[in-house]
Amino acid sequence: MFLALKEIKHEKVRYGLIIAMIVMISYLMFILMGMMLGLANENKAALTTWDAHTVFLNKNANDNMGQSVITKDQLAGRSLNKHEALVGQTAAVMKRTQGKAHKESVQFIGLDAGQYIAKDNMPLVAGRHAKNKHELVADESLKAKGYQLGDKVKLNSTAENYRLVGFAKDSQLNVAPVVYGRLSTWRALRGVAPQVVASGIISNQQEGASRFKKLAHYPIDKFIQKLPGYSAENSTFMFMIGFLMVISLVIIAVFLYILTMQKMPNYAVLRAQGIPARHLVGATVDQAVILMVAGICGGLVLTLLTAWLMPMTVPLVLKWPLIGLISLVLILLGGIGALLPVRMIMKVDPVRALNS
């Protein structure tokens, strides 16, 4: 470790450039991971808030709650228990009726006020819960778009006026803010027949497919994987992060290999003085670890600064266990990359190296 630190201190510019490259790579990896988690959260945040464990949909809905309709006949006369809730979902465009008509694409969620989601699983950050079908609760992200408590709004091209009475925490679905209202409003927006009761049934308990035999049954993990774009986005980001890990391995290996070739006469002198090869190998590995740790620390500082300056409209979620895991993998890859020049060091011939 002493030899590694001494050499880095002596060649500040050379090793500083290597650290700078590692800083940028680690910074990009942390930001990509944060954006992946942020987009994933915007796809399923409402489901997490609802404490959903099981989802039931129409069997012909192609795994999409927005396309699903459940009729009274499909419930087969079964009544819902206290752990279950009817949910109506449809895409909508919301705009203010006063002042400048600002439009926003939202996911409208119709609920039954007497069921568990509306009663217990809709935490508010401002305002209150809706008391009638003409009142709405919207996701808090809409506050940044200019919406305020008391605003009168319209949904799609309907003639009805609605009033925003509350803002809910973490209410996004399919990468869009959620607006909560009544199931009757959802039926009007969808234009469905009176026998249609909802898009889906959400349960905060693990239930079997036999609970509603005429409906498609989804454990929550399976349902989330089938959300539009969810798996594709995560796979893309994971591929990019893995590719950056390979790049970091190649960079540290190539740089240390070149530096080792340049230092062969120095190693020859040290070997001639009786320094064991394992000490020189250890110094090379220590250098790699020091460079990776320094670069990762720099990347973390830039990541925290970016998260602090990033506007709320940009989805960025930092999870420290995952950041710690990526950091550990990067350090291990740096150590592996340092093994490339080990063979050169182990086979160095003091006499030949000094005469070359």
Side-chain angles (χ1 to χ4, degrees), residues 25-60:
I25 290 174
S26 60
Y27 169 63
L28 183 56
M29 290 176 65
F30 296 148
I31 291 297
L32 286 175
M33 178 63 73
M35 293 183 69
M36 182 188 78
L37 295 174
L39 286 171
N41 183 65
E42 287 197 345
N43 253 311
K44 63 181 181 66
L47 294 168
T48 304
T49 302
W50 301 344
D51 191 27
H53 283 70
T54 309
V55 179
F56 293 94
L57 302 178
N58 188 302
K59 290 184 178 180
N60 298 319

Side-chain angles (χ1 to χ4, degrees), residues 21-304:
M21 296 186 69
I22 298 171
V23 166
M24 300 311 297
I25 290 174
S26 60
Y27 169 63
L28 183 56
M29 290 176 65
F30 296 148
I31 291 297
L32 286 175
M33 178 63 73
M35 293 183 69
M36 182 188 78
L37 295 174
L39 286 171
N41 183 65
E42 287 197 345
N43 253 311
K44 63 181 181 66
L47 294 168
T48 304
T49 302
W50 301 344
D51 191 27
H53 283 70
T54 309
V55 179
F56 293 94
L57 302 178
N58 188 302
K59 290 184 178 180
N60 298 319
N62 194 29
D63 311 320
N64 190 323
M65 188 159 64
Q67 298 177 357
S68 173
V69 289
I70 296 176
T71 63
K72 295 177 182 179
D73 293 338
Q74 289 172 325
L75 296 181
R78 288 179 177 266
S79 59
L80 273 63
N81 58 41
K82 64 179 182 179
H83 300 293
E84 299 167 341
L86 294 172
V87 172
Q89 178 190 357
T90 186
V93 175
M94 185 173 72
K95 65 179 180 179
R96 283 200 298 259
T97 59
Q98 312 124 314
K100 186 177 180 181
H102 178 72
K103 297 180 180 180
E104 190 68 29
S105 296
V106 300
Q107 288 290 331
F108 181 85
I109 298 295
L111 299 174
D112 186 321
Q115 295 173 344
Y116 91 92
I117 293 177
K119 290 171 61 177
D120 305 317
N121 288 74
M122 195 195 303
L124 301 181
V125 295
R128 59 175 175 81
H129 291 284
K131 295 181 179 179
N132 57 61
K133 66 178 183 178
H134 297 292
E135 295 181 342
L136 304 175
V137 174
D139 176 54
E140 62 178 331
S141 65
L142 289 174
K143 293 170 68 177
K145 304 292 181 63
Y147 286 91
Q148 299 176 355
L149 292 176
D151 279 351
K152 289 184 178 180
V153 300
K154 286 183 178 291
L155 296 171
N156 293 342
S157 57
T158 59
E160 291 282 346
N161 286 335
Y162 302 90
R163 184 180 296 275
L164 288 179
V165 297
F167 287 104
K169 181 181 180 182
D170 293 335
S171 294
Q172 298 96 26
L173 195 61
N174 296 346
V175 198
V178 166
V179 173
Y180 293 103
R182 292 286 190 264
L183 279 169
S184 58
T185 304
W186 169 78
R187 293 189 190 96
L189 291 174
R190 284 292 304 268
V192 294
Q195 65 265 28
V196 173
V197 295
S199 296
I201 299 173
I202 305 294
S203 174
N204 61 9
Q205 302 287 313
Q206 293 182 353
E207 298 184 354
S210 60
R211 172 67 175 137
F212 299 100
K213 295 182 180 180
K214 294 184 178 181
L215 299 178
H217 166 267
Y218 301 88
I220 190 60
D221 291 339
K222 180 180 178 181
F223 180 73
I224 288 174
Q225 291 298 321
K226 292 181 177 295
L227 290 172
Y230 184 87
S231 297
E233 287 174 358
N234 286 354
S235 299
T236 301
F237 277 108
M238 290 303 295
F239 176 80
M240 288 190 291
I241 291 170
F243 193 63
L244 285 171
M245 286 184 175
V246 174
I247 290 175
S248 66
L249 172 63
V250 172
I251 286 175
I252 196 69
V254 170
F255 270 97
L256 288 176
Y257 186 82
I258 294 172
L259 292 175
T260 300
M261 289 180 63
Q262 294 174 345
K263 294 183 294 185
M264 287 305 291
N266 298 334
Y267 286 142
V269 172
L270 292 173
R271 290 296 304 276
Q273 291 176 345
I275 303 297
R278 66 175 181 275
H279 289 305
L280 302 179
V281 172
T284 303
V285 175
D286 289 343
Q287 274 186 358
V289 172
I290 292 170
L291 294 174
M292 295 304 296
V293 170
I296 290 168
C297 290
L300 284 173
V301 171
L302 289 179
T303 302
L304 292 174

